[in-house]
Amino acid sequence: MSTPDIEYVGDSKSPVNPKADSETNTSTAEVGEVVITLTKEENDRIKKKTDRVILAILTWVYFLQVLDKGVLGTAALFNLQADLGLVGNQYSIIGSIAPIAQLGWQPFSAWILVRVPPRILMPCMVLGWGIAVTCMAACNNFGTFITARFFMGLFEAGCLPLFTILTSRWYRRIEQPVRVSIWNGMNGTATMAAAALSYGLGHIQSDVLRPWQIIFLFVGLGTVVTAPFVYWKLDNDITTARFLTEHERQLGVERLRANQMAPTSYDFKWSQAIEAFMEPKSLLWIALALLPNMGSALPSLFGPLIVTGFGFDKYETSLLNIPYGALTTIVIIAGCWCSYKVKLKSAVLVAFMIPVVVGTAMLYAIDHSPANQGPLLLAYYLTTFLYAANPILLSWVVGNTAGAAKTSTVVALYQIGTSAGAMSGSYLFSSDQAPNYLQGIRSVLGLFIALIGGVGIQTGILFMMNRHHKKQRISNGKAGDIKDMSMTAEVGVQGKAQEQTIGEVPFKDVTDWQNDEFVYIY
């Protein structure tokens, strides 16, 4: 393994004049009078080190976030509703209070994501929702429990936006889908873990604590002790990474140059936030987040109830949802791997939505009776392909957004769509539709078809924005066609025309619209 090839001839901090050698696959940049040469071996070494620290933290913390939120459903099997004295729709309100808290917090989230360093923000979030989950074990009525659940949702509100931004901050655009799939894939893993933990902890005999209290206490304390570990290991960005040497940090900056995104900035520029609200593609992300998360009420909230309508009892239904969680993890990883290989997120997203549309249509068209258990169960499992939507969309969002304040604003807008969808999806179904829930299934089918249409519209918008940037480059005396190096495995900037154009722009806090060298990805 080669050592960093850096030639020191002076002191400066302004990256200029990147060069590349297409034969050796290296990238050379002058940092003032300091010449930095990045080879493929060095690029791979830095990426692996980043995976071992940053990706490991993201994966574990996201697992805890999904687990802490998801154990409510499994804990409810152990008389939680009776012990808390819940009546009417109080349990449903408890289930929806977390996304309500997340939705209300998003206007503040965009500002906090820029102003507060991740090394401070993430452990504070983890500690906050860990304490809230732990406190659920001490609740004895609807009021105290929903209060704890509200604060859990409040502290979790910044989790998805922060993780998305950190992925874009530490990885090249071509690498982001796979990394998003790994930490987002914890949705399925945590679902299985919640079932297994509840089954095991539910058998503990105690004269002091009820089984559901033991479950919340266990997962809550596990999250609390994670907070100081996150503070110890997490770094804010590549320039301050303690797990890299000084030479590797400089190489890491060069490695991320092709993203055409600024280094870490803690200055919230309101002009960038305004630009996000004025831009059609940014606003369309809200709809693209809303549709799949609203439709997810079918498998996540009402899936088990629908499966019992196939003729299975509650124990069989519980067992059938274990492979559903495993399939969810496989689908998420497969979707992002395909996005990485094909490099067309829109096409991959549509391809993964087709099985969802087919499965939902089968659930609506086939008679729900024991005689059709096989086809109905197949249709139900086809809906797992829905879970590929969020990670692909997330990597698509951050890959097409630049500027610190604009990125945090757009990701917050995406979270608004996600929370609104999670909050409102359950209202498509009602108890009078049981056991088939055909009206809700029909509504969800319309949402999935609309999502495919929305992806097509967004692709057209991005195509037009790329044409606009091409015209800008030509009018500015640059080459019209440039190669998007962030979507290749190469570390060099290929071609003389591009060699002359890419310089200091990637290191300035400018938006994707302001930077005519920014290439939008489809």
Side-chain angles (χ1 to χ4, degrees):
M1 184 175 293
S2 61
T3 57
D5 182 10
I6 305 178
E7 178 185 350
Y8 291 92
V9 291
D11 293 321
S12 182
K13 297 182 179 180
S14 300
V16 296
N17 298 333
K19 302 177 181 179
D21 187 335
S22 58
E23 295 181 359
T24 60
N25 195 19
T26 64
S27 177
T28 302
E30 294 181 11
V31 184
E33 297 179 355
V34 180
V35 180
I36 299 176
T37 301
L38 174 67
T39 66
K40 182 180 184 302
E41 291 74 17
E42 291 161 342
N43 178 74
D44 292 342
R45 183 174 72 249
I46 294 171
K47 180 171 60 177
K48 289 178 181 178
K49 283 189 171 184
T50 305
D51 285 341
R52 286 196 294 266
V53 178
I54 302 301
L55 184 59
I57 293 174
L58 295 180
T59 303
W60 173 246
V61 174
Y62 198 80
F63 169 82
L64 291 176
Q65 187 252 343
V66 178
L67 178 66
D68 292 347
K69 186 166 52 180
V71 291
L72 174 64
T74 52
L77 298 174
F78 298 94
N79 298 320
L80 178 141
Q81 293 168 270
D83 291 339
L84 293 179
L86 303 182
V87 296
N89 64 346
Q90 287 182 335
Y91 178 75
S92 299
I93 296 174
I94 286 174
S96 63
I97 194 64
I100 290 175
Q102 293 171 359
L103 183 62
W105 183 250
Q106 290 315 306
F108 307 98
S109 178
W111 183 84
I112 288 177
L113 287 171
V114 173
R115 297 292 295 174
V116 181
R119 194 185 179 200
I120 301 297
L121 181 58
M122 188 185 293
C124 288
M125 288 166 44
V126 173
L127 181 62
W129 89 60
I131 292 174
V133 173
T134 305
C135 289
M136 292 179 194
C139 297
N140 56 13
N141 56 50
F142 171 75
T144 55
F145 196 89
I146 198 172
T147 300
R149 187 81 177 173
F150 174 85
F151 280 103
M152 181 202 73
L154 198 65
F155 281 102
E156 286 182 347
C159 185
L160 187 64
L162 177 60
F163 280 37
T164 305
I165 290 174
L166 284 177
T167 304
S168 69
R169 185 177 292 179
W170 287 91
Y171 293 98
R172 300 177 70 191
R173 289 201 290 185
I174 191 175
E175 301 162 352
Q176 291 168 13
V178 173
R179 272 68 190 179
V180 171
S181 75
I182 292 173
W183 58 258
N184 195 269
M186 291 300 102
N187 277 289
T189 306
T191 298
M192 292 185 289
L197 281 174
S198 297
Y199 180 83
L201 296 174
H203 282 80
I204 296 177
Q205 300 296 322
S206 173
D207 296 329
V208 180
L209 297 174
R210 297 178 175 87
W212 61 267
Q213 292 176 312
I214 296 174
I215 293 171
F216 283 119
L217 194 63
F218 182 87
V219 298
L221 290 176
T223 302
V224 168
V225 299
T226 295
F229 175 80
V230 173
Y231 177 78
W232 173 46
K233 296 297 292 183
L234 185 64
D235 290 305
N236 291 322
D237 54 56
I238 194 77
T239 64
T240 59
R242 290 165 294 165
F243 59 88
L244 299 176
T245 66
E246 178 64 28
H247 292 176
E248 288 173 332
R249 287 195 287 270
Q250 294 179 351
L251 292 171
V253 172
E254 171 63 19
R255 172 181 127 76
L256 299 176
R257 174 193 296 273
N259 282 357
Q260 290 286 329
M261 296 179 184
T264 306
S265 172
Y266 299 111
D267 179 21
F268 190 88
K269 298 179 180 179
W270 287 99
S271 60
Q272 293 189 6
I274 294 173
E275 180 181 311
F277 280 99
M278 299 295 291
E279 194 175 59
K281 77 171 174 66
S282 298
L283 298 178
L284 187 55
W285 294 127
I286 302 176
L288 292 177
L290 175 72
L291 293 170
N293 285 283
M294 194 173 182
S296 68
L298 168 61
S300 63
L301 295 178
F302 291 89
L305 297 176
I306 293 173
V307 171
T308 58
F310 301 166
F312 297 104
D313 62 31
K314 60 182 180 180
Y315 300 106
E316 292 171 331
T317 299
S318 298
L319 291 175
L320 289 171
N321 273 282
I322 293 177
Y324 192 96
L327 282 173
T328 297
T329 302
I330 294 172
V331 163
I332 291 174
I333 295 175
C336 291
W337 183 83
C338 290
S339 176
Y340 164 76
K341 285 295 184 180
V342 178
K343 300 179 180 62
L344 288 174
K345 293 177 174 56
S346 56
V348 173
L349 181 55
V350 170
F352 272 74
M353 286 305 301
I354 290 175
V356 182
V357 171
V358 171
T360 307
M362 290 173 63
L363 286 175
Y364 181 72
I366 300 175
D367 180 50
H368 290 208
S369 67
N372 297 320
Q373 281 185 346
L376 287 169
L377 199 58
L378 172 63
Y380 178 62
Y381 284 150
L382 282 175
T383 62
T384 58
F385 281 80
L386 172 65
Y387 290 95
N390 267 334
I392 294 176
L393 281 169
L394 282 169
S395 61
W396 202 16
V397 169
V398 297
N400 282 307
T401 312
K406 183 177 181 180
T407 300
S408 67
T409 302
V410 171
V411 174
L413 290 175
Y414 183 90
Q415 180 65 54
I416 287 174
T418 299
S419 300
M423 180 180 65
S424 58
S426 61
Y427 294 104
L428 297 175
F429 300 83
S430 59
S431 58
D432 59 355
Q433 300 176 19
N436 299 335
Y437 296 94
L438 292 182
Q439 294 179 13
I441 292 173
R442 182 178 59 191
S443 299
V444 167
L445 178 60
L447 293 176
F448 295 151
I449 295 173
L451 176 60
I452 294 176
V455 171
I457 295 172
Q458 187 71 298
T459 303
I461 291 174
L462 295 172
F463 176 78
M464 297 303 296
M465 296 179 79
N466 268 338
R467 288 191 63 181
H468 174 80
H469 273 182
K470 181 178 179 179
K471 292 179 180 178
Q472 275 190 320
R473 288 193 294 270
I474 293 174
S475 65
N476 291 334
K478 302 177 182 179
D481 295 317
I482 62 175
K483 185 175 182 180
D484 183 10
M485 297 302 300
S486 70
M487 293 301 292
T488 72
E490 303 167 11
V491 295
V493 182
Q494 307 287 332
K496 293 184 178 297
Q498 190 159 327
E499 182 177 312
Q500 296 170 358
T501 62
I502 299 182
E504 296 185 8
V505 175
F507 298 93
K508 295 181 179 178
D509 186 17
V510 297
T511 67
D512 52 278
W513 184 250
Q514 295 168 339
N515 179 10
D516 64 4
E517 296 169 6
F518 190 96
V519 179
Y520 295 99
I521 54 178
Y522 307 125

